[in-house]
Amino acid sequence: MSAPRPQEHHPIAPRRVAFDWHGTPLHWIPDVLGDRPPFRVPIPEREWLRFRLALIAAIEQFTAVLGNWVLAAGGLDRAGPDPVMLDLLRWHGAEEVEHRAVAFDVYQHTGGEEPARYARRVLAMGVTAPVLLYLWTWGAAYLLRHDPQPAAPARYSLRAHHRAVRKGLLPTWRELGAAIPRYVRRSYHPSQEGSLRTALAYLAASPAARAAAGALSRSALR
């Protein structure tokens, strides 16, 4: 492995910056985030926008499920992880639970009339679930291949995945899969997913949050 160049050895310190956003357009990179349907499919602009919003709402269903799982995953504590990384993971999970209904509520408000609104929501979940499954497995395999300090064979396998599930380090496929039929119920709302009280309690008690609050208090007293 080659050594870093001499000029790369310098202390890294946080920098306070201020960016002027007044002239920045909403779509700051032209044609990003699926501004147009793939394969030049002739979908009206408003309908395409509604479908993209439905996709985000479906994705947020899974992030809420994962966020709720990680808050209660005792197996992670028993595995002896780095406490800072575990706090970051649970803080992120708590935030996912906290805002689990935002995209869904916006979609319900702007998604048009029924039954088209419901049909679009179901279709979006039909697209989201397999794509997320692929991204999950592909992402895990990618990280394993590029791990500079692998503790096990550097490849993803279902056997290793199931072993991690049995140890409580990953949610079960059933827990993830059950999120789909719940979501496609007509009466469903994301507020039924997880516990907002638990999420807010963790956000308030997180070691990182308490450390930041203490730093702000000390700064105010100076």
Side-chain angles (χ1 to χ4, degrees):
M1 180 179 296
S2 60
R5 288 176 292 183
Q7 63 267 30
E8 293 180 348
H9 289 284
H10 71 280
I12 298 176
R15 299 178 176 89
R16 296 186 179 276
V17 296
F19 296 97
D20 183 1
W21 305 107
H22 290 91
T24 304
L26 177 63
H27 300 287
W28 58 280
I29 300 179
D31 301 326
V32 293
L33 295 179
D35 287 347
R36 296 180 179 86
F39 312 114
R40 300 175 182 253
V41 178
I43 301 176
E45 182 179 1
R46 176 169 293 189
E47 177 59 25
W48 180 235
L49 182 61
R50 285 171 171 168
F51 184 69
R52 289 157 61 198
L53 184 56
L55 289 174
I56 298 300
I59 292 171
E60 293 286 270
Q61 167 72 352
F62 288 104
T63 58
V65 169
L66 290 170
N68 186 60
W69 177 84
V70 79
L71 286 172
L76 294 177
D77 298 283
R78 293 190 293 272
D82 177 80
V84 176
M85 285 301 300
L86 182 58
D87 181 34
L88 173 61
L89 185 64
R90 285 188 166 147
W91 181 85
H92 188 179
E95 281 214 325
E96 292 296 340
V97 174
E98 181 188 33
H99 68 245
R100 66 199 185 283
V102 173
F104 184 92
D105 287 342
V106 173
Y107 172 74
Q108 289 295 99
H109 183 70
T110 62
E113 301 296 326
E114 299 289 6
R117 179 174 59 186
Y118 173 72
R120 194 185 302 110
R121 175 155 67 92
V122 173
L123 176 61
M125 176 55 79
V127 172
T128 297
V131 170
L132 282 184
L133 176 61
Y134 168 76
L135 291 175
W136 184 325
T137 55
W138 181 88
Y142 178 88
L143 291 174
L144 285 170
R145 286 197 308 271
H146 292 82
D147 187 348
Q149 298 176 326
R155 64 186 181 86
Y156 175 81
S157 70
L158 285 176
R159 177 178 297 180
H161 184 109
H162 293 155
R163 187 162 57 246
V165 169
R166 288 193 296 271
K167 292 179 179 178
L169 303 178
L170 290 173
T172 66
W173 293 117
R174 178 176 295 181
E175 287 173 306
L176 294 173
I180 299 174
R182 288 199 302 271
Y183 185 80
V184 299
R185 290 200 307 260
R186 284 186 177 272
S187 61
Y188 179 78
H189 188 268
S191 59
Q192 302 164 19
E193 208 69 61
S195 168
L196 180 60
R197 179 177 297 179
T198 300
L200 294 179
Y202 190 85
L203 290 172
S206 160
R210 287 189 279 111
L216 286 174
S217 298
R218 290 190 296 272
S219 178
L221 293 175
R222 290 176 183 171

